[in-house]
Amino acid sequence: MAADIISTVEFNYSGDLLATGDKGGRVVIFQHEQESKNRPHLRGEYNVYSTFQSHEPEFDYLKSLEIEEKINKIRWLPQQNAAHFLLSTNDKTIKLWKISERDKRAEGYNLKDEDGRLRDPFRITSLRVPVLMPMDLMVEASPRRIFANAHTYHINSISVNSDHETYLSADDLRINLWHLEITDRSFNIVDIKPANMEELTEVITAAECHPHQCNVFVYSSSKGTIRLCDMRAAALCDRHSKFFEEPEDPSSRSFFSEIISSISDVKFSHSGRYMMTRDYLSVKVWDLNMENRPVETYQVHEYLRSKLCSLYENDCIFDKFECCWNGSDSAIMTGSYNNFFRMFDRNTRRDITLEASRESSKPRATLKPRKVSTGGKRKKDEISVDSLDFNKKILHTAWHPKDNVIAVAATNNLYIFQDKIN
Amino acid sequence: MEVDRGAMDCAVDAQSLISMSLMKIHSSRTQRGGIKLHKNLLVSYVLRNARQLYIREKYAEIYRMQQYEEVMAVCSGIQELEPLEPLEPLEPQGAEDAEPEQPGRAAGCGDESRAAGGREPPEPPYYRSCCMEDQFSQNCNKTTVLDLDTHVVTTVENGFLHQDCCCAAAAAPQCAPGAAARKRKVDSAGCSPDAEEPSDYTAGRKRLKREECSGADASNISNLISIFGSGFSGLLSRQADLEQVCSKQALASLGAWTRAIVAF
């Protein structure tokens, strides 16, 4: 079912909860089960914790446009009490959800029966104090805030600020700053819409708040550039503080140069010193102190460079891959086609290609590294570029903030892989 | 723009890329969730790149035609002197050559031919056409149109249809308006003009009114972006406007144009 296609995956701050959003507007949250006492050498599994419908399809009557219910992004808030909070967004509206547990129920009311029927007041001869009785765990999700009508274009990113009070939302041309408590107002902090739309040459593709400095954020563009902005400098951050761009290699120019240089994701490292960008063929790590080129570049699937025309024809060239850091920033991960995903170790410079599929990943089995043969003789176990399935794409991956546990979304299936504990 | 064609897997014909891109833009209008600005912006870049290459190849073709024309003029001059000599038309050089043009070479050739001809070669009527007019102009008012019914891409320049001058030669009997709907191929530059009847050609060629497009600079994505406009409201009315404009300028006179997207 198309509505089951997973469109976003995100661990919370502790890694205890994993949220997924899908094309049908649903959010499914998984919880890490405690390790079983019988088998302490195995990590606990992730089981469904809560499911709710976050967004519904809407219709904009003014523009005669349907607004998709697909969840574009989910971001968790840091936990402050027993309840969990997350932000989920579709193309136009951001919602703050509260997910709370209920495992007790009050019993012994005076005015009504256990099944809720009102008691006849004349029958009540004595008063009792209701008591809390245990009940089966119930997880409830309720929308606490709805942040609407602030975006003319399609929202592509949301990011919670390190002050835990504000967050930003970005669409193709604008970035807004919100306060989590205030829904009827937001501040526009970036606006790249030209006075004359005919002069439009680039759009905003992703934005993120700095993990520690609450005044700093970055946004990437379709032209392959990243701008870092400081909110202390001005109310409207149209002028960047830093501008990151790698000069184009003129020898690799093609019809599709603009498309493949468009950045689809930008993520700060946990340390806040680096950031990573994903374009169609590669992942780049940038040092925030060096603007003229990335410090590391990793080729994800360079063998696709000669296939760009077919990929343009079947629209795959527009796929927006995400990328993520591990907890210690020593490794990065991103997806590819044929249900392959790639991991790069920044220290050893080793990389690995793995596959997320039922056939190749039985429970408890170790994943086998995969290889795509790029030409000449195809070795055994290698896959040729022409037999890659471009309908099986891994766009969304997430890495546990502390442990070596990863979540990989392959179309409508979620795979969770973890390291064996020895 | 240098294009590494060797690296492409499918037939990266500029024209097929143009039609593919226009189809994408058209189908995006009916997609759920509204037109995606980012995707269409990227498609318009491909469209621009393909068009730039296409125009460059066209200019190269024009240059070859002009070279041939000059040779023909010399030959006919010789023929006047020596009427017994059979006329040997030369094939335009590199007619079948589909290699990408070196930008430097194209420019150099242009200069060369300008330098070579202080004299005005006599203009055979079948070459007085849109191709020859203003061929070295930087401001080329071209409109690339995709007919959604026949999936044919045609370029209209300064109000004249290109097909008339280049392809009509290859299909001499059909100089009727129907020829306008034929898909043009770049390598049709190999058409041999000597097979052509000037009178048929003149009759078949449509002179359209000069089109007043707002300066379609090759590097400007302008008119295309304006179709998407802010908020995309009024998109339907905008399309109707564009279609009206085109029909005013005698595109309507060609029966085949029922629905078309005008780009640039």
Side-chain angles (χ1 to χ4, degrees), chain B:
Chain B
M1 183 202 73
E2 287 275 345
V3 172
D4 183 11
R5 279 185 158 187
M8 295 300 170
D9 55 334
C10 59
V12 185
D13 166 23
Q15 202 164 11
S16 67
L17 267 187
I18 290 173
S19 61
M20 217 190 292
S21 304
L22 291 174
M23 288 297 292
K24 284 187 196 295
I25 291 171
H26 175 76
S27 62
S28 78
R29 293 178 173 186
T30 50
Q31 256 166 21
R32 209 174 155 240
I35 296 176
K36 298 198 180 351
L37 184 62
H38 183 201
K39 181 178 176 185
N40 283 284
L41 182 67
L42 296 177
V43 169
S44 69
Y45 273 113
V46 174
L47 202 44
R48 180 199 67 167
N49 293 340
R51 180 171 168 257
Q52 281 174 346
L53 183 71
Y54 182 77
I55 287 170
R56 182 175 310 162
E57 286 175 350
K58 268 291 160 209
Y59 279 145
E61 189 185 306
I62 289 164
Y63 168 68
R64 288 193 287 264
M65 291 288 205
Q66 203 204 14
Q67 266 194 324
Y68 180 75
E69 175 191 340
E70 288 176 359
V71 167
M72 280 300 288
V74 170
C75 286
S76 54
I78 294 170
Q79 203 176 17
E80 282 165 15
L81 300 172
E82 300 174 14
L84 297 175
E85 284 289 330
L87 193 61
E88 295 274 349
L90 291 171
E91 279 300 306
Q93 275 181 15
E96 304 306 316
D97 185 2
E99 290 305 308
E101 299 296 322
Q102 302 289 334
R105 188 171 70 124
C109 290
D111 291 336
E112 203 182 316
S113 74
R114 249 177 275 160
R119 61 186 163 85
E120 288 286 301
E123 293 164 289
Y126 51 84
Y127 279 120
R128 179 199 294 282
S129 71
C130 49
C131 281
M132 296 303 127
E133 277 181 30
D134 227 12
Q135 71 248 39
F136 298 113
S137 161
Q138 292 306 308
N139 287 329
C140 135
N141 288 330
K142 284 178 182 273
T143 303
T144 302
V145 190
L146 167 70
D147 183 335
L148 292 176
D149 297 311
T150 62
H151 292 191
V152 165
V153 178
T154 311
T155 299
V156 178
E157 182 190 23
N158 296 339
F160 297 101
L161 281 176
H162 268 239
Q163 287 151 335
D164 299 333
C165 50
C166 301
C167 275
Q174 290 179 26
C175 288
R182 190 171 312 111
K183 183 170 181 173
R184 244 168 334 141
K185 293 193 173 19
V186 174
D187 58 5
S188 66
C191 58
S192 41
D194 61 330
E196 179 182 18
E197 295 300 314
S199 55
D200 281 351
Y201 181 80
T202 311
R205 188 177 38 152
K206 292 289 182 191
R207 275 201 173 271
L208 303 174
K209 286 195 326 204
R210 182 164 285 269
E211 190 175 36
E212 286 167 5
C213 286
S214 55
D217 180 18
S219 66
N220 199 342
I221 312 166
S222 59
N223 292 338
L224 190 61
I225 297 298
S226 71
I227 293 173
F228 303 121
S230 60
F232 309 120
S233 55
L235 185 67
L236 294 173
S237 61
R238 174 76 200 214
Q239 182 186 4
D241 285 344
L242 287 169
E243 284 174 344
Q244 256 193 328
V245 163
C246 290
S247 65
K248 272 185 199 145
Q249 291 164 7
L251 281 177
S253 68
L254 304 173
W257 297 103
T258 50
R259 290 151 58 219
I261 299 173
V262 177
F264 303 108

Side-chain angles (χ1 to χ4, degrees), chain A residues 21 82 84 181 214 216 348 365 388 415:
Chain A
H84 295 97
E181 299 290 331
C214 58
V216 171
T348 64
L388 293 174
Y415 292 83

Side-chain angles (χ1 to χ4, degrees), chain A residues 287-305:
Chain A
D287 184 324
L288 292 189
N289 297 317
M290 187 159 75
E291 298 169 51
N292 59 352
R293 61 178 173 80
V295 290
E296 295 153 31
T297 301
Y298 301 93
Q299 300 302 334
V300 181
H301 36 218
E302 181 68 12
Y303 47 79
L304 294 183
R305 194 180 285 272

Side-chain angles (χ1 to χ4, degrees), chain A residues 339-355:
Chain A
N339 278 351
F340 287 170
F341 58 99
R342 305 260 284 138
M343 286 173 160
F344 302 92
D345 186 318
R346 295 178 64 215
N347 300 323
T348 64
R349 293 307 176 115
R350 283 210 310 254
D351 63 87
I352 190 169
T353 304
L354 299 169
E355 183 178 357

Side-chain angles (χ1 to χ4, degrees), chain A residues 133-196:
Chain A
M133 300 297 291
M135 59 178 262
D136 288 338
L137 178 67
M138 203 166 71
V139 181
E140 297 173 322
S142 58
R144 305 303 287 177
R145 306 270 187 278
I146 298 185
F147 305 91
N149 302 320
H151 285 280
T152 309
Y153 300 94
H154 294 124
I155 296 175
N156 53 53
S157 311
I158 47 175
S159 180
V160 182
N161 210 345
S162 54
D163 62 9
H164 302 164
E165 285 184 355
T166 57
Y167 75 94
L168 62 75
S169 60
D171 67 27
D172 291 319
L173 298 178
R174 298 190 177 101
I175 302 180
N176 293 332
L177 185 71
W178 302 83
H179 192 283
L180 284 164
E181 299 290 331
I182 300 168
T183 58
D184 61 354
R185 222 175 317 150
S186 77
F187 291 99
N188 174 244
I189 53 177
V190 173
D191 188 339
I192 64 167
K193 185 180 173 189
N196 185 357

Side-chain angles (χ1 to χ4, degrees), chain A residues 84-340:
Chain A
H84 295 97
F85 289 86
L86 60 77
L87 287 169
S88 71
T89 185
N90 68 349
D91 283 339
K92 297 287 184 183
T93 305
I94 306 138
K95 295 187 183 180
L96 176 69
W97 288 89
K98 176 182 178 184
I99 296 109
S100 48
E101 291 183 4
R102 189 196 289 264
D103 62 355
K104 294 182 186 51
R105 184 176 56 209
E107 283 177 20
Y109 283 101
N110 292 290
L111 293 177
K112 54 182 178 177
D113 288 342
E114 295 312 318
D115 49 8
R117 272 189 306 194
L118 289 173
R119 287 170 76 190
D120 185 359
F122 293 105
R123 296 287 187 87
I124 299 168
T125 53
S126 62
L127 288 176
R128 55 186 175 170
V129 176
V131 290
L132 289 174
M133 300 297 291
M135 59 178 262
D136 288 338
L137 178 67
M138 203 166 71
V139 181
E140 297 173 322
S142 58
R144 305 303 287 177
R145 306 270 187 278
I146 298 185
F147 305 91
N149 302 320
H151 285 280
T152 309
Y153 300 94
H154 294 124
I155 296 175
N156 53 53
S157 311
I158 47 175
S159 180
V160 182
N161 210 345
S162 54
D163 62 9
H164 302 164
E165 285 184 355
T166 57
Y167 75 94
L168 62 75
S169 60
D171 67 27
D172 291 319
L173 298 178
R174 298 190 177 101
I175 302 180
N176 293 332
L177 185 71
W178 302 83
H179 192 283
L180 284 164
E181 299 290 331
I182 300 168
T183 58
D184 61 354
R185 222 175 317 150
S186 77
F187 291 99
N188 174 244
I189 53 177
V190 173
D191 188 339
I192 64 167
K193 185 180 173 189
N196 185 357
M197 274 298 270
E198 298 189 356
E199 293 159 6
L200 181 74
T201 56
E202 67 181 325
V203 296
I204 297 169
T205 53
E208 200 182 40
C209 292
H210 192 278
H212 311 306
Q213 298 167 34
C214 58
N215 52 300
V216 171
F217 66 95
V218 291
Y219 68 93
S220 59
S221 86
S222 55
K223 275 192 169 172
T225 64
I226 310 103
R227 288 169 178 80
L228 184 141
C229 299
D230 186 337
M231 290 189 269
R232 293 173 305 189
L236 189 59
C237 300
D238 275 358
R239 298 236 300 264
H240 51 263
S241 299
K242 294 196 184 189
F243 182 71
F244 299 83
E245 184 180 33
E246 182 174 30
E248 190 193 351
D249 174 14
S251 66
S252 64
R253 184 114 185 91
S254 76
F255 287 116
F256 310 106
S257 292
E258 285 85 1
I259 301 187
I260 63 171
S261 64
S262 176
I263 292 175
S264 52
D265 194 18
V266 65
K267 290 268 172 46
F268 277 107
S269 64
H270 292 91
S271 64
R273 175 154 171 221
Y274 298 97
M275 66 178 175
M276 165 167 57
T277 57
R278 175 71 155 98
D279 50 65
Y280 190 63
L281 296 178
S282 68
V283 182
K284 295 177 181 171
V285 176
W286 302 77
D287 184 324
L288 292 189
N289 297 317
M290 187 159 75
E291 298 169 51
N292 59 352
R293 61 178 173 80
V295 290
E296 295 153 31
T297 301
Y298 301 93
Q299 300 302 334
V300 181
H301 36 218
E302 181 68 12
Y303 47 79
L304 294 183
R305 194 180 285 272
S306 57
K307 306 277 177 204
L308 293 179
C309 186
S310 327
L311 294 167
Y312 179 71
E313 201 169 2
N314 63 17
D315 270 3
C316 282
I317 205 174
F318 301 105
D319 287 335
K320 293 184 185 171
F321 291 95
E322 293 173 5
C323 52
C324 58
W325 298 84
N326 72 343
S328 59
D329 297 336
S330 63
I332 58 182
M333 172 168 62
T334 189
S336 178
Y337 293 104
N338 210 69
N339 278 351
F340 287 170

